[in-house]
Amino acid sequence: MTTENYKLVKDTPQGEPSNLIIRLSDEAYIPKDEANTDYQEYLEWVAEGNEPEPADEENA
Amino acid sequence: MSTIINADTSNGLKLTSDTSGEIELQSAGVTKAKVTSSGLQNASGSAITSQAGKNLIINGNMQIAQRGTTGTAVPGGSYLASDRWKAWDASDAVVTVSQETDGPTGQFTKCLKYNVTTADASITASQFGMVRQMIEGYNIIDLGFGTASAQSVTISFWVKSSLTGSHGAALNNGNEDRSYPFAYTISVANTWEKKTVTIAGDTSGTWDTDNTAGMIITFGMGTGSTYEGTADAWQAGNKFQPTSTVANIGTISNWNVTGVQLEAGTTATPFENLQYGQQLALCQRYFEVVITNDGNGFYGTPGAGTDVGYSNYFYQTTKRAAPTVALAAGGTLPTVQVSGQSGFSSYASAGVYARINGGTTISSEL
């Protein structure tokens, strides 16, 4: 069981859905690439029943 | 038999001819190379091919340390000192891992140190400490592991520890369900010793040959029964070391390693010394830190009016996978818009520079 927490990233300025999530412990941006081991940990975290925080209205 | 060409120390050139169609090249009566119908071979009969890239271990001489040179090992494992080397301490011990300026004289100047400052007097079944390097699947394709054509591999390394005796290590697949635990003996405390182990290729199991972890070399630092295995045999499961081998985490101790090489064949050849820049580039496929040199940042152009401003950063080396980007603090940070294998793009609010600070890290480690 990880103690990490995550947050979604708001849509891009072009209005496209972001392909990233934020790991809150270090504010790192994690791409949704299944070969990325940080994203694999995120997927395991979600599979444990956790949900990421919603995206900020204004990220920048 | 073969036709033998011997550089004899008493008589000079000494030729022994036969009709085998093969030639052996000898120095003082000792065979050094052969030419047979299969081509050029070494003394043990293995093909002599291009040696570039023969070492499947990256940063085996522990020279590159982009993150820093020391840190405290944690249960989930982390990269603390020399690049590509991940250390774990999932026990009650306290362990510091560092890059040290030390090594066998005249051969290596850096090593990785696993320093147990508080011991775990009672290691339970699932507790463990270890040091690992995960090898990308693309780099093990020619070994043929998981097939009937699996090649033997040879691991060589220099090691020094305050603890003598039979220490443990293992070769594992990236899926962590195949293991070959093996032991090596440290004869004299606090003295550099070179170890060599040859392992027959695994004809079973799944060994990924893509951009995920294909193979793992594991140096066990002590574990309970869960991760102990039978020595010198391929077996199912994720095993870190053979039973009855030294548990470094059980004693205040240190263990140091450098010159790690994993290569195809049954012979340990000299360590493949790469130029610093070559090795740095190999490491940067997995991790890179933004260096600005003056404490400032790389800036984009602020957007005019209500337009956002963008900044792009292109990596020194194409990453293994789309990497995780951790922006270093300093000023108003932008939002990362895209992280791809070639670079990342970020944007800031209108009128604000999108700023990429030195110290920003990009990671696609295995």
Side-chain angles (χ1 to χ4, degrees):
Chain A
M1 178 69 76
T2 175
T3 56
E4 275 292 355
N5 206 351
Y6 299 88
K7 185 169 72 175
L8 301 177
V9 178
K10 74 167 193 170
D11 292 351
T12 69
Q14 293 76 31
E16 299 162 351
S18 174
N19 196 39
L20 299 157
I21 52 174
I22 295 175
R23 182 173 57 204
L24 292 175
S25 61
D26 59 356
E27 299 287 325
Y29 288 83
I30 300 172
K32 296 173 183 173
D33 180 341
E34 293 191 359
N36 181 304
T37 53
D38 294 320
Y39 185 58
Q40 291 168 7
E41 289 179 10
Y42 167 76
L43 292 177
E44 289 173 11
W45 180 82
V46 171
E48 290 168 357
N50 299 296
E51 288 187 18
E53 296 178 13
D56 290 341
E57 283 299 308
E58 185 62 55
N59 282 319
Chain B
M1 291 297 292
S2 303
T3 293
I4 297 172
I5 302 172
N6 177 22
D8 188 76
T9 52
S10 301
N11 303 307
L13 178 62
K14 191 173 176 184
L15 184 65
T16 307
S17 180
D18 74 359
T19 58
S20 64
E22 298 184 354
I23 295 175
E24 284 188 24
L25 298 175
Q26 295 185 344
S27 171
V30 178
T31 301
K32 298 298 182 183
K34 303 175 185 177
V35 180
T36 73
S37 57
S38 301
L40 191 60
Q41 298 177 338
N42 64 17
S44 357
S46 298
I48 297 175
T49 56
S50 169
Q51 297 294 288
K54 68 179 179 180
N55 190 1
L56 302 182
I57 299 296
I58 296 173
N59 201 25
N61 62 5
M62 311 297 169
Q63 192 78 36
I64 308 294
Q66 295 183 86
R67 295 171 179 82
T69 56
T70 188
T72 302
V74 296
S78 52
Y79 293 89
L80 298 168
S82 298
D83 273 41
R84 306 276 17 259
W85 293 98
K86 190 172 184 178
W88 282 257
D89 171 29
S91 77
D92 298 320
V94 177
V95 175
T96 300
V97 175
S98 56
Q99 181 203 46
E100 299 290 330
T101 301
D102 188 11
T105 304
Q107 301 193 58
F108 301 100
T109 58
K110 299 290 183 183
C111 70
L112 186 75
K113 181 176 188 177
Y114 191 95
N115 192 31
V116 181
T117 57
T118 301
D120 184 342
S122 179
I123 301 168
T124 62
S126 60
Q127 287 183 316
F128 63 89
M130 63 177 172
V131 173
R132 279 184 151 178
Q133 182 166 136
M134 274 68 79
I135 302 169
E136 188 173 347
Y138 285 138
N139 296 336
I140 65 162
I141 292 174
D142 64 329
L143 297 180
F145 273 45
T147 75
S149 305
Q151 286 191 62
S152 294
V153 295
T154 296
I155 301 166
S156 53
F157 55 96
W158 286 86
V159 66
K160 181 177 86 168
S161 177
S162 58
L163 300 177
T164 58
S166 181
H167 290 245
L171 196 63
N172 315 87
N173 67 346
N175 292 340
E176 299 181 309
D177 55 13
R178 295 289 296 168
S179 299
Y180 186 101
F182 62 89
Y184 61 92
T185 301
I186 293 182
S187 305
V188 183
N190 303 314
T191 303
W192 285 106
E193 300 177 12
K194 186 176 183 181
K195 307 300 172 188
T196 299
V197 178
T198 294
I199 297 173
D202 187 11
T203 57
S204 300
T206 300
W207 295 77
D208 290 335
T209 52
D210 55 14
N211 66 334
T212 61
M215 181 179 284
I216 303 170
I217 183 170
T218 304
F219 291 104
M221 295 292 115
T223 185
S225 57
T226 303
Y227 300 111
E228 287 180 334
T230 304
D232 302 330
W234 283 110
Q235 56 211 264
N238 189 21
K239 308 298 182 184
F240 305 152
Q241 59 190 92
T243 54
S244 304
T245 46
V246 169
N248 302 67
I249 55 175
T251 306
I252 292 175
S253 62
N254 65 76
W255 175 91
N256 308 264
V257 69
T258 192
V260 185
Q261 181 154 282
L262 170 57
E263 59 191 311
T266 58
T267 304
T269 64
F271 184 81
E272 182 181 29
N273 271 305
L274 300 178
Q275 291 186 17
Y276 186 89
Q278 291 176 302
Q279 186 146 267
L280 176 61
L282 292 176
C283 292
Q284 287 178 328
R285 177 169 171 79
Y286 307 91
F287 180 84
E288 176 178 339
V289 59
V290 175
I291 302 171
T292 58
N293 288 90
D294 69 351
N296 215 320
F298 295 133
Y299 294 87
T301 303
T306 59
D307 292 340
V308 299
Y310 292 91
S311 181
N312 298 319
Y313 181 83
F314 296 101
Y315 305 140
Q316 308 306 303
T317 302
T318 301
K319 295 291 172 279
R320 176 190 66 83
T324 299
V325 176
L327 298 172
T332 303
L333 293 179
T335 297
V336 175
Q337 176 171 345
V338 175
S339 172
Q341 286 177 267
S342 298
F344 75 88
S345 176
S346 63
Y347 63 94
S349 303
V352 176
Y353 290 100
R355 169 179 173 153
I356 310 300
N357 291 308
T360 292
T361 60
I362 300 107
S363 176
S364 61
E365 284 286 6
L366 286 163

